[in-house]
Amino acid sequence: MEDIEDLLVGSGGGAPPGFRLPITAVGLNPTKNKNKNKSNPNGNSNKLSQIQDPLAPLSPKIPGTQTIYIKTFGCSHNQSDSEYMAGQLSAFGYPLSDNPEEADLWLINTCTVKSPSQSAMDTLIAKGKGARKPLVVAGCVPQGSRDIKELEGVSIVGVQQIDRVVEIVEETLKGHEVRLLSRKTLPALDLPKVRKNKFVEILPINVGCLGACTYCKTKHARGHLGSYTVDGLVGRVKSVIADGVKEIWLSSEDTGAYGRDIGANLPILLNAIVAELPSDASTMLRIGMTNPPFILEHLKEIAEVLRHPCVYSFLHVPVQSGSDAVLTAMNREYTVSEFKTVVDILTELVPGMQIATDIICGFPGETDQDFTQTLSLIKLYKFPQVHISQFYPRPGTPAARMKKVPSTVVKRRSRDLTSVFEAFTPYVGMEGRVERIWITEVATDGIHLVGHTKGYVQVLVAAPESMLGTSAIVKITSVGRWSVFGEVIETIPHINDTVSGNERPKQEKKFSGLNHYETSACSTKSENCCCGPESCGGQSEKCAVTKNDVQLEDRNSRNLIGWLLRKRKNHVEKPVENEIGLGSQKKQEQTQGSLGEWGVVDRALLGGMLVSFLTIVTLLLHLGFRILSSN
């Protein structure tokens, strides 16, 4: 099947993010008629399907009523993409479910880092086809490997086309196969969003990277570096803070490379964001995974940001190997000595600094001596979090053509390194210490809440769920290998908690379905996303998997008109995130401003909606009379 790229009839600019385009504006491939192809000697089939007659009988279900199941594999960037897609679908009325059996369509957001994750995707696609479920596959697999046989007969959406997921879902439900892959601009940051954890905003600051690691398949999908503007990211930060977010995770394939394509850099962005964080440290910033090369020149500036009271003293810096020979074969563009410089300077300048890293065992050409050097590096620093992965050759990468280390040797090295790492006791000495923590999650045991210290050490406390989204002073009562336990001494009041009147944060109703996205758990098998995994947020392999309620919004968020009205208001005043929730609905917000203040475009848009509505009513009445007359 041909790849259908952005085909916009009569327009080069497309529609506003999330806007439902007419059928003529979407690249489609209906089920092919092989006989017709024979009559076309040039083999050039139309990229657009036949245009549906507006007077044709209506489909069995009205668009926006079908239930969608979303499954997410991979890193935090993928999770953010899923949250954006879920938000747009919910904005158009599609119910979301964590039960695949009851869903009318499956949306699978994929990861191409390692073979196991792609194999899991293959299994899920086969299961969906067997159950005759309409399938939409998103993420890095279709973007980087669009022609694999597993994607035959399913719709696919590229990593930069997530703002058109509603169109793709609607056409797929009609029986069409849709492919949208190419894009020259980044998706908007202010799209509707349904967060997995209503207190955590995963904020992508750029896509792609500047590296060319020989084992990395993600570069094929995410491409070259593309950074969001500083102003755009700061505006998003302001918006999510106003919505009650308590942690902001900066995410990308390489945070350290941010801005090099737009004349900026990471310290400029970090300082601009920190300036907008609440002075009472009620909202914390977590800096995402960064490779050593692009932060070496900014270590002192980054250390200053990491010392800020509103920034976690934590950084994920993948090393991948303790051998310079292996790093050269990986084309990692740094040496072990340079990695040590990063670790040494940050731990010296930032009190309580915690660093997580990654190791790939059994890279092609890795000798016993190379692996011994890796063991020595891990033993030297005793990192509290190490993501250990066996090498998996990815099709189309240079490393896939290199001579492989025997699988038995790879597995043995992975076991040996894991044994060394698990013997560390990074939290010994914390017992009895008094720490401030930020609580955002519920532990899987259903008893403890999960908080983090300034150094991002995981603290489990027995406390009511009403403490979610708060900060507290705790005393560490005991320590374990993967986390510590604490006792709440005092809850810290936040400035936002004392706001009164119309500025009081909205009280959210909760949704019982908690696991819409089943992302990879923190483990030694975590995904090395591009140059290092970030899906676990730097947590160790035994960290608790958490469940979080999904934030709900006002009733206007559940329909297109309400969303467009808010977009108008945001354009006049300030950008505000449209958080689209699930479950029961609440009171509508009062829309500020009068119709007389609207421009020509606003009036035309509203008039067009009214005309469309009247046309639909007329068609329904016409069809009804025809049915009655035929009877």
Side-chain angles (χ1 to χ4, degrees):
M1 157 178 184
E2 296 183 56
D3 294 319
I4 306 302
E5 313 300 346
D6 266 335
L7 299 175
L8 297 176
V9 177
S11 170
F19 196 90
R20 193 185 255 113
L21 289 175
I23 189 163
T24 56
V26 185
L28 305 172
N29 270 47
T31 303
K32 286 189 175 182
N33 187 329
K34 295 182 180 179
N35 295 329
K36 288 186 178 181
N37 290 339
K38 292 180 181 179
S39 63
N40 185 356
N42 297 325
N44 296 325
S45 61
N46 292 331
K47 289 187 176 182
L48 286 177
S49 72
Q50 64 275 17
I51 305 303
Q52 289 191 346
D53 183 358
L55 294 177
L58 297 177
S59 58
K61 286 192 176 182
I62 299 173
T65 63
Q66 297 89 338
T67 301
I68 311 297
Y69 166 71
I70 300 178
K71 169 70 177 180
T72 306
F73 296 95
C75 66
S76 62
H77 198 159
N78 258 21
Q79 182 176 315
S80 177
D81 287 349
S82 287
E83 292 176 356
Y84 273 126
M85 290 189 286
Q88 294 169 84
L89 290 167
S90 184
F92 280 90
Y94 287 97
L96 306 180
S97 173
D98 57 355
N99 183 355
E101 304 303 325
E102 72 177 19
D104 297 300
L105 177 142
W106 292 3
L107 172 58
I108 305 170
N109 197 0
T110 61
C111 174
T112 191
V113 173
K114 297 191 298 186
S115 297
S117 58
Q118 187 160 335
S119 297
M121 177 211 74
D122 296 343
T123 301
L124 190 59
I125 290 177
K127 182 178 178 181
K129 288 181 177 179
R132 303 185 64 83
K133 299 285 187 180
L135 300 175
V136 175
V137 179
C140 293
V141 172
Q143 189 72 61
S145 306
R146 64 189 68 180
D147 295 324
I148 61 176
K149 64 178 182 179
E150 288 80 9
L151 296 179
E152 293 178 359
V154 304
S155 293
I156 60 177
V157 52
V159 294
Q160 292 187 35
Q161 291 279 13
I162 60 173
D163 55 353
R164 298 185 65 182
V165 67
V166 175
E167 305 166 51
I168 296 169
V169 164
E170 292 188 347
E171 296 305 326
T172 303
L173 286 168
K174 295 175 185 176
H176 298 137
E177 181 183 341
V178 187
R179 293 196 166 204
L180 293 177
L181 293 169
S182 295
R183 182 70 169 271
K184 295 181 180 180
T185 58
L186 299 175
L189 290 171
D190 62 347
L191 293 170
K193 195 171 190 180
V194 174
R195 300 188 189 95
K196 179 184 177 183
N197 183 336
K198 69 178 182 179
F199 297 113
V200 177
E201 166 71 7
I202 302 173
L203 180 59
I205 62 174
N206 57 263
V207 300
C209 68
L210 294 175
C213 300
T214 56
Y215 57 84
C216 180
K217 183 72 172 178
T218 307
K219 181 64 178 280
H220 296 189
R222 296 284 181 178
H224 199 65
L225 180 69
S227 303
Y228 286 96
T229 65
V230 173
D231 289 343
L233 291 166
V234 169
R236 179 66 176 177
V237 167
K238 292 179 181 179
S239 173
V240 300
I241 291 175
D243 284 339
V245 162
K246 299 303 179 184
E247 284 188 5
I248 299 172
W249 299 359
L250 302 186
S251 176
S252 78
E253 283 64 58
D254 186 358
T255 302
Y258 170 80
R260 290 174 178 261
D261 57 322
I262 58 173
N265 58 46
L266 184 60
I268 291 175
L269 174 65
L270 294 178
N271 286 313
I273 291 177
V274 166
E276 302 299 332
L277 298 177
S279 59
D280 62 351
S282 56
T283 299
M284 295 293 288
L285 178 70
R286 198 191 80 183
I287 305 173
M289 185 275 294
T290 177
N291 289 304
F294 299 112
I295 62 170
L296 278 168
E297 62 188 273
H298 301 302
L299 282 177
K300 290 185 178 180
E301 295 97 321
I302 292 175
E304 183 178 356
V305 173
L306 290 167
R307 289 196 301 266
H308 192 279
C310 298
V311 181
Y312 285 119
S313 303
F314 168 84
L315 200 59
H316 179 192
V317 187
V319 63
Q320 306 298 12
S321 176
S323 164
D324 283 337
V326 174
L327 292 177
T328 299
M330 292 179 173
N331 196 30
R332 290 290 287 168
E333 300 180 348
Y334 59 85
T335 64
V336 175
S337 176
E338 289 172 328
F339 171 78
K340 288 181 176 180
T341 298
V342 172
V343 176
D344 292 340
I345 290 179
L346 290 180
T347 53
E348 177 186 355
L349 297 180
V350 183
M353 183 70 193
Q354 297 279 310
I355 294 178
T357 195
D358 306 336
I359 296 293
I360 296 177
C361 293
F363 188 82
E366 182 186 63
T367 65
D368 288 338
Q369 181 180 0
D370 294 328
F371 179 67
T372 299
Q373 292 174 349
T374 298
L375 282 175
S376 299
L377 179 68
I378 299 302
K379 290 178 180 178
L380 174 64
Y381 288 103
K382 293 182 170 59
F383 298 105
Q385 294 102 23
V386 179
H387 304 283
I388 303 169
S389 174
Q390 298 176 27
F391 170 74
Y392 291 95
R394 303 303 294 133
T397 62
R401 300 189 296 270
M402 299 179 183
K403 185 177 180 180
K404 298 176 181 59
V405 176
S407 60
T408 54
V409 176
V410 176
K411 293 177 181 178
R412 175 175 53 80
R413 290 175 182 172
S414 178
R415 289 194 299 269
D416 292 346
L417 182 57
T418 299
S419 297
V420 170
F421 166 62
E422 290 182 344
F424 297 158
T425 54
Y427 307 128
V428 169
M430 287 190 68
E431 190 170 353
R433 189 183 302 175
V434 175
E435 297 274 358
R436 180 177 180 177
I437 65 170
W438 289 261
I439 303 171
T440 57
E441 302 172 328
V442 180
T444 50
D445 61 9
I447 300 173
H448 293 90
L449 302 184
V450 181
H452 293 91
T453 67
K454 175 73 163 60
Y456 214 68
V457 176
Q458 183 174 265
V459 182
L460 303 179
V461 295
E465 290 192 22
S466 59
M467 288 192 65
L468 286 170
T470 68
S471 181
I473 302 297
V474 301
K475 180 179 181 180
I476 306 302
T477 56
S478 62
V479 300
R481 172 60 186 88
W482 314 110
S483 58
V484 302
F485 292 84
E487 181 180 85
V488 176
I489 299 175
E490 176 188 0
T491 300
I492 299 176
H494 296 154
I495 293 175
N496 290 340
D497 295 336
T498 60
V499 175
S500 60
N502 294 330
E503 296 181 357
R504 182 176 295 277
K506 289 177 278 189
Q507 298 298 315
E508 310 293 347
K509 294 184 179 179
K510 295 184 177 180
F511 174 65
S512 59
L514 301 177
N515 296 322
H516 292 288
Y517 319 116
E518 303 167 40
T519 56
S520 60
C522 304
S523 69
T524 55
K525 297 181 181 179
S526 61
E527 307 292 354
N528 286 284
C529 186
C530 187
C531 299
E534 195 187 355
S535 58
C536 300
Q539 290 299 301
S540 62
E541 64 192 80
K542 302 296 184 179
C543 70
V545 179
T546 61
K547 298 180 179 179
N548 300 282
D549 297 330
V550 180
Q551 187 174 9
L552 299 182
E553 262 278 1
D554 55 274
R555 185 175 301 180
N556 281 342
S557 298
R558 299 302 305 273
N559 58 70
L560 177 61
I561 296 176
W563 184 67
L564 290 172
L565 289 175
R566 287 199 314 281
K567 289 291 290 181
R568 167 64 178 169
K569 176 183 173 184
N570 295 345
H571 177 73
V572 175
E573 297 177 359
K574 64 178 182 179
V576 178
E577 178 196 5
N578 297 290
E579 175 96 15
I580 307 302
L582 308 174
S584 59
Q585 302 177 352
K586 300 168 23 181
K587 287 185 177 180
Q588 294 190 5
E589 282 186 15
Q590 292 183 347
T591 305
Q592 296 181 356
S594 64
L595 186 60
E597 298 172 341
W598 290 12
V600 176
V601 175
D602 301 289
R603 295 176 181 177
L605 183 60
L606 192 58
M609 291 178 180
L610 182 59
V611 171
S612 299
F613 175 75
L614 293 175
T615 302
I616 292 172
V617 171
T618 303
L619 288 173
L620 290 174
L621 291 173
H622 175 69
L623 289 173
F625 284 125
R626 287 179 58 182
I627 293 172
L628 290 175
S629 61
S630 63
N631 292 335

